[in-house]
Amino acid sequence: QVHLAESGGGSVQPGGSLRLSCQASGSSSSSYCMGWFRQAPGKYREGVAAIFTAGGSTYYGDSVKGRFTISHDNAKNTLYLQMSSLQPDDSATYYCAAEPRGYQATSALECFWYTYKNWGPGTQVTVSS
């Protein structure tokens, strides 16, 4: 089981930036699918971005392409989401998710649509003037 803890959320004005972090622990695998998801009140959970840690391939949801960047620091076992040009529609609780993949080659697209079993508690992002 992978334990996940997000941090870095907060309030920001439109056009601003934030960097979310997700510290992973409790598991040792040669590779992981990891992803960021978000859910606003009254809306379905939405995939934001995903990464396959072996190789670092990434995939983004259409609404954040060109504005958000997902990355992973293997040494720190930490997932990041750099968010720029934030808009009010980006306001949501952001969750990270992870799944050990061992030596199974996996695409970032598969990681984006993966049915994750390990989730963090979430961090709130509010974009408002």
Side-chain angles (χ1 to χ4, degrees), residues 5 11 15 22 25 34 37 39-40 43 45-47 51 53 58 66 73 79-81 85 88 102 112 121 124-125 129:
S11 295
C22 174
S25 62
M34 299 188 80
F37 298 81
Q39 189 167 18
K43 294 188 177 181
R45 187 173 62 200
E46 174 189 18
I51 188 168
T53 61
T58 59
D73 186 325
L79 180 71
Y80 300 99
L81 184 69
S85 302
F112 188 82
Q124 179 68 39
V125 172
S129 55

Side-chain angles (χ1 to χ4, degrees), residues 4-123:
L4 303 166
E6 304 95 338
S7 61
S11 295
V12 64
Q13 293 187 336
S17 299
L18 279 176
R19 189 177 82 155
L20 305 183
S21 300
C22 174
Q23 178 69 56
S25 62
S27 175
S28 177
S29 177
S30 58
S31 70
Y32 294 85
C33 271
M34 299 188 80
W36 287 100
F37 298 81
R38 66 186 183 186
Q39 189 167 18
K43 294 188 177 181
Y44 291 106
R45 187 173 62 200
E46 174 189 18
V48 175
I51 188 168
F52 182 56
T53 61
S57 60
T58 59
Y59 187 88
Y60 296 90
D62 288 342
S63 61
V64 306
K65 280 180 185 176
R67 300 188 299 124
F68 291 10
T69 302
I70 188 172
S71 61
H72 181 259
D73 186 325
N74 288 327
K76 296 181 179 180
N77 213 6
T78 301
L79 180 71
Y80 300 99
L81 184 69
Q82 179 65 49
M83 305 185 293
S84 302
S85 302
L86 284 162
Q87 299 302 318
D89 283 350
D90 295 315
S91 297
T93 300
Y94 283 70
Y95 301 90
C96 69
E99 202 69 29
R101 299 296 292 163
Y103 294 102
Q104 290 182 275
T106 309
S107 70
L109 175 61
E110 290 176 283
C111 293
F112 188 82
W113 293 106
Y114 200 84
T115 302
Y116 288 91
K117 294 188 286 292
N118 303 291
W119 293 85
T123 186

